[in-house]
């Protein structure tokens, strides 16, 4: 099975290094020197990692055969794909591969069905489950432990405890009290007497 482990960013310096956006929780395993990775588009690879280092909080890689800035820049936005045994599990029991989470049923703690995970979006601050509801609509659920309280792979379900308004907009809590004091027609009181 293939997993996307990184996306190549811009070239760094003049000797063929590139920045990468890491998309794996195990970069030391998947993006180590000597690793051979497939690519999307396939015409860019396969690529063999020659060196890797962290610079200013970003991972920099150099690939065999990529020796200058022009060649490195040509790889920009290429996805790096690792071949992984489907039975392999992450070392941390609280981590999951995307393929393990796809198609899980999403339910509330009381068993109420919300929908099914159809996509996982990886953002810099957190991952999002895209959940298709029974009526065909979609809802985005942040994959954080305060909301996703349990992943049960045996039962093929994700149990969530959503904050008000995440699943049902009619239950949303108004965070501002600006319009509660008046009907909105009056100018706000500056607290100064004229």
């Amino acid at each position: 099975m293939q997993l996307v482990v990184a996306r190549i960013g811009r070239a760094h310096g003049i000797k063929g290094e590139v920045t990468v956006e890491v998309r794996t929780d195990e970069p030391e395993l998947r993006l180590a020197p000597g690793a051979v990775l497939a690519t999307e588009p396939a015409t860019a690879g396969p690529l063999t990692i020659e060196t890797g280092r962290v610079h200013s909080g970003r991972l920099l890689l150099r690939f065999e055969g990529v020796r200058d800035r022009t060649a490195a820049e040509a790889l920009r936005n290429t996805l790096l794909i690792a071949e992984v045994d489907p039975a392999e599990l992450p070392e941390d029991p609280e981590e999951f591969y995307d393929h393990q989470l796809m198609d899980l049923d999403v339910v509330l703690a009381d068993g109420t069905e919300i929908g099914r995970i159809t996509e996982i979006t990886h953002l810099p601050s957190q991952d999002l489950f895209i959940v298709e509801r029974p009526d065909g609509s979609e809802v985005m659920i942040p994959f954080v432990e305060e909301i996703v309280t349990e992943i049960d792979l045996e039962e093929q379900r994700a149990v969530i405890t959503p904050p008000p308004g995440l699943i049902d907009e009619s239950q949303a809590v108004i965070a501002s009290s600006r319009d509660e004091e008046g009907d909105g027609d009056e100018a706000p009181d500056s607290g100064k007497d004229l």
Side-chain angles (χ1 to χ4, degrees), residues 81-95:
I81 302 167
E83 190 65 39
V84 178
D85 179 349
E88 182 182 330
L89 299 175
E91 291 179 13
D92 185 340
E94 297 297 315
E95 293 179 0

Side-chain angles (χ1 to χ4, degrees), residues 8-20 51-63 66-76:
I8 297 175
R10 67 181 92 177
H12 179 83
I14 60 171
K15 296 183 179 179
E17 284 185 311
V18 294
T19 62
V20 292
T51 63
R53 66 186 178 101
V54 176
H55 175 73
S56 298
R58 293 204 62 121
L59 180 61
L60 302 178
L61 297 179
R62 182 176 310 155
F63 301 102
V66 178
R67 294 284 171 239
D68 60 33
R69 185 175 185 85
T70 303
E73 193 62 38
L75 295 173
R76 191 172 193 167

Side-chain angles (χ1 to χ4, degrees), residues 161-172:
T161 306
L166 183 64
I167 302 299
D168 184 354
E169 290 180 15
S170 68
Q171 295 176 352

Side-chain angles (χ1 to χ4, degrees), residues 3 26 60 75 116 139 161 163 177:
L3 293 177
E26 301 170 314
L60 302 178
L75 295 173
R116 182 177 55 85
V139 63
T161 306
S177 60

